Every structure is written in C-alpha cells, then in structure tokens.
Amino acid sequence: MLKVTLKFTIYCVLCIIWGCSGSGEESLTMEMQHYNDSLSEARIDSAYKAIRSNCDTMLTYRVPQMVDSFLKDSALLQHFFDSNILYIDADKKVEKVTRQLQADCDTNLLKETYRIARLRQKRGPVQRKKLKVSPF
C-alpha cells in the first residue's frame, strides 16, 4: 500500500509542477498575441482612413468620368476597376479587412455611377405646344 501511495504522490507532484510551469509560456504567448492584435488594429485603422479618403476623392472627381464612359459604352466602365492594385500583406487579417473595405468603396462608386447615369438619361417633362384656336 505504501508503494501505491508513494507512486500516487509522485505523479500528483509531477502533474502540479508540469501544470504550473506552462503558465509562463501562456502569458508570453498571450502578450505576443495582444501586441500583434494591437498592431493589426492600428494598420486596419490607417488603411480605413486611407481608403475612405481615396474613395471620397474618387466619388468627387472620378465618378463623372465613369458616368461618361458608361453612357458611351458600358464595357469601358470596367477599366476603372481593373486598374486598382490589390493589397497584399503578410498579416492575412489585415489583408482581408483591407480588401473588404476596397470592395465596399468600389460598390459605392458603382452605385453612384449608375444613379447619376440614370438621372442623366431621364428626360424632364415634355411641354406640349398649345394649339392655336382660330376665331373662324
């Protein structure tokens, strides 16, 4: 019985030592993960500001050109979207969010282009000439 108790005690002490020694690595891992997340958040925020600024500028200056191209030939509109450079990053999280933000901007540009083109194609009310009534 003494051998079983000694073996059990040794196993318990080893399990406790092994369990307590791993917490230092976990805290280091958690700190590194927190640091990487904060870097990713900062990069995402700066990418959001840059894309938002670029998108606002394109809404102001590029949409009229896109509308003219669309009204001439709808195939010419794709040229504006093919020329964008894809964002590639080592951090896949940042890359995914940045590409999503760029896709949202492109969608907004396309919606605005179609809206303005539709407004340009609409005709105003047509005034009809009144017939002159002769007195005879």
Side-chain angles (χ1 to χ4, degrees), residues 45-93:
D45 288 342
S46 66
Y48 176 77
K49 288 177 187 175
I51 290 172
R52 181 70 12 220
S53 173
N54 188 24
C55 193
D56 290 342
T57 303
M58 288 178 71
L59 275 172
T60 305
Y61 298 107
R62 205 124 189 235
V63 167
Q65 294 173 354
M66 292 167 66
V67 170
D68 293 338
S69 296
F70 177 69
L71 292 175
K72 290 178 186 173
D73 184 15
S74 62
L76 295 175
L77 188 62
Q78 192 61 32
H79 166 72
F80 290 99
F81 295 106
D82 288 340
S83 62
N84 290 342
I85 299 170
L86 289 177
Y87 183 77
I88 298 174
D89 195 334
D91 189 358
K92 295 300 176 188
K93 179 179 168 183

Side-chain angles (χ1 to χ4, degrees), residues 11-125:
Y11 286 132
C12 286
V13 169
L14 288 176
C15 287
I16 290 172
I17 292 172
W18 181 67
C20 292
S21 66
S23 66
E25 292 176 9
E26 281 184 21
S27 64
L28 181 62
T29 304
M30 291 298 286
E31 287 178 21
M32 288 298 293
Q33 183 67 30
H34 180 69
Y35 177 74
N36 289 337
D37 286 345
S38 64
L39 280 178
S40 295
E41 288 173 7
R43 293 176 73 194
I44 288 171
D45 288 342
S46 66
Y48 176 77
K49 288 177 187 175
I51 290 172
R52 181 70 12 220
S53 173
N54 188 24
C55 193
D56 290 342
T57 303
M58 288 178 71
L59 275 172
T60 305
Y61 298 107
R62 205 124 189 235
V63 167
Q65 294 173 354
M66 292 167 66
V67 170
D68 293 338
S69 296
F70 177 69
L71 292 175
K72 290 178 186 173
D73 184 15
S74 62
L76 295 175
L77 188 62
Q78 192 61 32
H79 166 72
F80 290 99
F81 295 106
D82 288 340
S83 62
N84 290 342
I85 299 170
L86 289 177
Y87 183 77
I88 298 174
D89 195 334
D91 189 358
K92 295 300 176 188
K93 179 179 168 183
V94 174
E95 182 178 345
K96 181 179 177 183
V97 171
T98 304
R99 285 188 182 192
Q100 183 62 42
L101 289 170
Q102 187 64 43
D104 291 343
C105 177
D106 290 346
T107 302
N108 290 339
L109 288 173
L110 203 55
K111 283 181 187 177
E112 188 67 18
T113 302
Y114 289 149
R115 186 185 71 79
I116 292 174
R118 215 175 315 121
L119 288 175
R120 282 191 186 175
Q121 287 178 341
K122 274 187 179 177
R123 290 186 176 176

